Structure formats: structure tokens, C-alpha cells
Amino acid sequence: MINIELKNYEAWFITGSQHLYGDEVLKKVAADSQAIVKGLNDVGSVPVKMVYKPVQTGPESISRIMQEANNSENCIGLVTWMHTFSPAKMWINGLKVLKKPILHLHTQFNRDIPWDSIDMDFMNLNQSAHGGREYGFMLSRMRRNRKVVVGHWKDAGVQKQLDEWLRAALAWHDWQGMKIARIGDNMRQVAVTEGDKVEAELEFGYSVNGYGIGDLVDYVNAVPDHRIKEHLQLLESLYTLMPDIHEGGERRSNLKEAARIELGMSDFLDSGDFRAFTTTFEDLHGLKQLPGHAVQRLMEAGYGFGAEGDWKTAALVRAMKVMGTGLNGGTSFMEDYTYHLEPEKMKVLGAHMLEICPSIASGDISMEVHELGIGGKDDPVRLVFDVESGPGINVSVMDMGDRFRMLVNPCRVVPADKPLPNLPVARVVWEPEPDLPTAAAAWIHAGGAHHTGFSMAVSAEMMEDFADVAGIEVLFIDEDTNIREFKKEIRWNDLYYHFSNGLKK
């Protein structure tokens, strides 16, 4: 398992003020800030540990704490609050060097104005209303991306926005230094799964390096028989096995080989400290079958995955898994496979050849072996299941040449119209927002990939926050989408990104 322990990570709570109001006010500012931090941690409304840092009153200390945040392995980002008026020029040098994401919490310690007792002492202490504007001006002047959350810090809606942003910041933190193993190369002649890996490392912090299939095969062949035997017992305890792969069944050898491949892949990924990987069915030399259930179970363990060499989707799936840690639902690699185009009942059947993560499964999971007409290998093992109804999202990232683009399309998972007894793969049926014709047309106009990260744990808001932190163009295909306006948005964005490098200087 490579899933992360959320409470090992920190968000630093940094409050701005100044010396103009005297020591007693600064003591009160510090006490209020500590109370907010304790309150957020105690109610469990934030996914990571919120850490109080001293109140900032001058440029030297601000620069120091920003450098400390940069150098902290556990700090995923800053939550900043202007309790009083904090002159923004003193934030310039610190913000210039800061490399961690920022959330601006525009709140105040008290919720209500004490109408009967309010005086100038109260007014001087509680100045977020205009202190936050001063701070916000400097962030805008420096064209610094940040999240702005407005409201009382105890409100559930404010805490929900904090939770979502912190999960996005955590996923961004996870990308820094992440290693992706591209086992084999890209699927031949396919365009959208390619991309500029050097630019991705410059922009996003993760590295993508290729490994020959022989590198993996060496690990697969080295798995001893006793580990395979133990692993078969585990699989038998977790899944409903079809009769011919039980002990003594005619396809038992297929399951043994699949178990060997899973253990070998796990050893390979663990030895290289990888958090995501790709495979391709056009490069299987030395493997007896296409990795099916192995990929499914590794995704469930927390790895990002992309089929056919799709490293961008592998990175995306890993990020979405990090964001969804501890939440209900799950996240999987996905593909829009085929449509149901009955008027007024249009929907998508999502699946892949084999590689859908069981974290999204509902009900019993069946382990089966069936013929696969692709790859020219022995029949592979796969986990077969359906997915419970409910809200979900499909997300994709593409390299558009001059920038990376993210597409986010909320959907609603629905039951299949009828049972699917002859479809031996994991599958999901959904209705995309606002409807299939609009969603598909917008996706195609935007150059969206055929691979996605699908999640019933991660929200569209989290993906928006993540795209903002990562500096990725993001387009939403949702209930408000109109094709004419969507095409205009694409054209406007083309102009913006064409000139944006100059604007940032």
C-alpha cells in the first residue's frame, strides 16, 4: 500500500498584523489565531494537521517563514489570515520566494458585530474586512494564484472549502518529486497519450522515465512459488472466483501467472519508489498475459495508472487518489467505451479492456478469466464488478503544445438498463452533465483525451483548486455548458495563454 497518512502533513496557519496597535492587540491576535487552529483541528474539518505559526508583523520575519515553509517536507501549503491591517509591501519578498500554495482565509474571529458594545478598540482589533483587501491587492499585483475563502471560520461551508483546497494542495505536494514508470512506450500511432515529459517535469515536478518490459519481467520471474501460494489464498478470500480458476480448475495456471505478475509488478514499483505507472498491450514480450487484475489491485493500493503509455493520466489518477484519501467513493483510470443513444435516455458505458480500479466497486467482485482478442497472449485474469449509482466526475489532462489543459465533466452514475452477462470487464454507466450530446461535443471541441480519471470521491471543486495550484488551464463541462459559449472560451483561452508569459514578467 502506498496511500498516505494525512495527519503526517501540515498546513501552516499564518496571520498578518503590524506593531501599530500595540502589544496587547498582538497578544489578542495571536490568541485568536491559535483558537482558530485548535478549533479546526478539534472538529476534524481539515484533512491534514493545521499548525499555528507566529503572527507576522514585518518583512524580515515574513521572508524567513516563507523560506521555512519551502524547506519543510511536511508543509503542503499556507492558510493566511489578515486579522488586522497588515501593510502589504512587507509581504512582497516573502511571497516572491514562496513555492508553496496559498489559501487566503478572509474571515474574522467573531461572527457577529456586538452592536451594543462595539467601540474603537474592537474596530482596531477586527480589521479583516479591509486588511484582507490590502493583502489581496498585493497577491493580485504579483499575479499570484491563490484560493480565497470568505465567511466565518466555524461555518460548515467555509470548512468544506478548506478541506477541498487542502486536499488539492496535498495532491500537488505529492506530485513534487513523484516518479512515474513508463513500462514500454506509447501505443503506436496514438496522439493524445503522448506529450512533453520534460515540460511536465518543469511545470509539475514529477518525472516520467521509460523502462523496457524486460526490466519488469526480471522481477516477475524472480517471484518465488511460496509467495504465489500465499497470494492465491489472499485472492480467494477477497473475491468470488469463477469455477475454472479454483484449485484443480483448467485455468488455474492463468490465475497463478496473474498472481506472479501482480507480485512482480509490486516489487518493481516498490524498488523504484514509483507512485504511478503505465503499460501497453503492444509491448508484452516476456509476459504470458496482459496485466489485468494486477493493475486493478495496484491502483486500489494507491498507484496512479494510465494504459497504453498514458503517463499524464497516470499522474492525474494518482493526484485524484491522494485528494480522495479517506473519503467515500473511489477513483479509477477510465475510458468512455461506448454510447447508449436512445433519445431522452442517452448514457455512456465506461470501461477498459481490464484495468478499472475496484475502489469504485459496488457489491461482490468476481475474479474471472476470459479470452482477450488484443495482445496475442494467454487469457488474462480480471476483476469484474458494477458501480453504485451516485455523483461522479471524469477528468482528463492533455498536452496542447503551448500548455497543458484539464477538462472536468461531472456525471451521474446510473444502473445499466439491463444486466450485462456477456461483458466480462468492470464497467460504469453514467449520464454526463448537461447531457451526452453537449458533453461529448464540448469534450471533442476542447481536444479531450479518451482516457480519464474517474472518481466518486473527488469533487469538481477539488479539481478546480488543483488546476489553480498547478497552473493548468481548466475547462468545465457541466450543467451550465453551452457549445457556442464553450467554443468562445476555448478561443479566449488560446489568446490568454499565448500572451500570459509576457504578462507574468
Side-chain angles (χ1 to χ4, degrees), residues 314-355:
L316 173 65
V317 169
R318 170 62 185 177
M320 295 173 74
K321 283 188 170 291
V322 171
M323 280 183 260
T325 300
L327 300 178
N328 293 328
T331 294
S332 178
F333 169 80
M334 188 59 67
E335 180 173 277
D336 289 43
Y337 221 100
T338 193
Y339 293 143
H340 182 72
L341 296 179
E342 180 183 0
E344 309 303 324
K345 296 182 180 180
M346 294 186 183
K347 51 184 71 77
V348 180
L349 174 62
H352 204 253
M353 292 182 297
L354 305 171
E355 307 99 333

Side-chain angles (χ1 to χ4, degrees), residues 354-371:
L354 305 171
E355 307 99 333
I356 302 300
C357 179
S359 67
I360 64 173
S362 173
D364 291 338
I365 299 176
S366 176
M367 178 168 273
E368 304 179 9
V369 176
H370 297 275
E371 180 182 358

Side-chain angles (χ1 to χ4, degrees), residues 3 30 54 77 102 114 116 151 158 162 192 209 224 254 274 281 298 304 314 321 360 364 416 420 426-428 441 489:
N3 284 328
I102 301 173
D116 295 334
V158 167
L162 274 171
V192 76
N209 290 293
N254 297 65
F274 299 109
F281 61 79
L298 287 166
K321 283 188 170 291
I360 64 173
D364 291 338
L420 302 165
R427 57 282 180 124
V428 193
E489 183 179 1

Side-chain angles (χ1 to χ4, degrees), residues 394-398 405-409 443 446-448 475 477 486:
N394 272 295
V395 185
S396 193
V397 173
M398 300 75 63
R405 170 180 289 167
M406 177 185 290
L407 284 178
V408 180
N409 183 206
W443 196 274
L475 297 171
I477 303 170
F486 190 77

Side-chain angles (χ1 to χ4, degrees), residues 126-295:
N126 298 281
Q127 299 187 57
S128 297
H130 59 285
R133 283 167 166 77
E134 167 74 359
Y135 175 66
F137 162 75
M138 187 51 65
L139 288 163
S140 295
R141 175 68 177 81
M142 297 175 72
R143 293 184 172 86
R144 177 75 194 227
N145 283 356
R146 78 280 195 186
K147 175 80 169 183
V148 179
V149 177
V150 180
H152 193 250
W153 60 275
K154 286 186 178 180
D155 289 348
V158 167
Q159 293 180 3
K160 182 175 185 292
Q161 290 183 73
L162 274 171
D163 174 80
E164 291 174 334
W165 182 84
L166 288 168
R167 289 177 178 277
L170 182 62
W172 174 251
H173 183 82
D174 185 73
W175 265 16
Q176 307 313 298
M178 180 174 75
K179 296 166 61 179
I180 302 175
R182 200 182 199 201
I183 304 170
D185 202 347
N186 195 59
M187 182 178 172
R188 289 187 279 277
Q189 305 300 326
V190 176
V192 76
T193 50
E194 286 283 17
D196 189 335
K197 297 187 286 292
V198 174
E199 187 64 21
E201 188 164 354
L202 285 169
E203 294 289 327
F204 306 140
Y206 62 73
S207 63
V208 183
N209 290 293
Y211 293 84
I213 189 67
D215 295 322
L216 171 61
V217 169
D218 286 344
Y219 280 86
V220 172
N221 291 339
V223 176
D225 289 343
H226 73 87
R227 286 185 64 198
I228 296 173
K229 182 178 181 180
E230 293 170 357
H231 196 62
L232 290 173
Q233 292 174 347
L234 173 65
L235 297 177
E236 289 169 343
S237 71
L238 294 174
Y239 310 114
T240 301
L241 274 61
M242 61 187 301
D244 59 0
I245 58 175
H246 279 283
E247 185 67 52
E250 62 181 21
R251 286 180 163 178
R252 182 70 171 186
S253 61
N254 297 65
L255 180 58
K256 289 181 179 179
E257 189 59 31
R260 185 189 301 277
I261 291 172
E262 180 190 344
L263 293 170
M265 292 186 78
S266 179
D267 292 345
F268 171 79
L269 295 171
D270 185 61
S271 69
D273 194 27
F274 299 109
R275 291 177 227 159
F277 68 102
T278 73
T279 61
T280 174
F281 61 79
E282 289 185 322
D283 192 357
L284 297 174
H285 183 72
L287 292 179
K288 293 184 179 180
Q289 57 182 258
L290 176 68
H293 98 277
V295 172

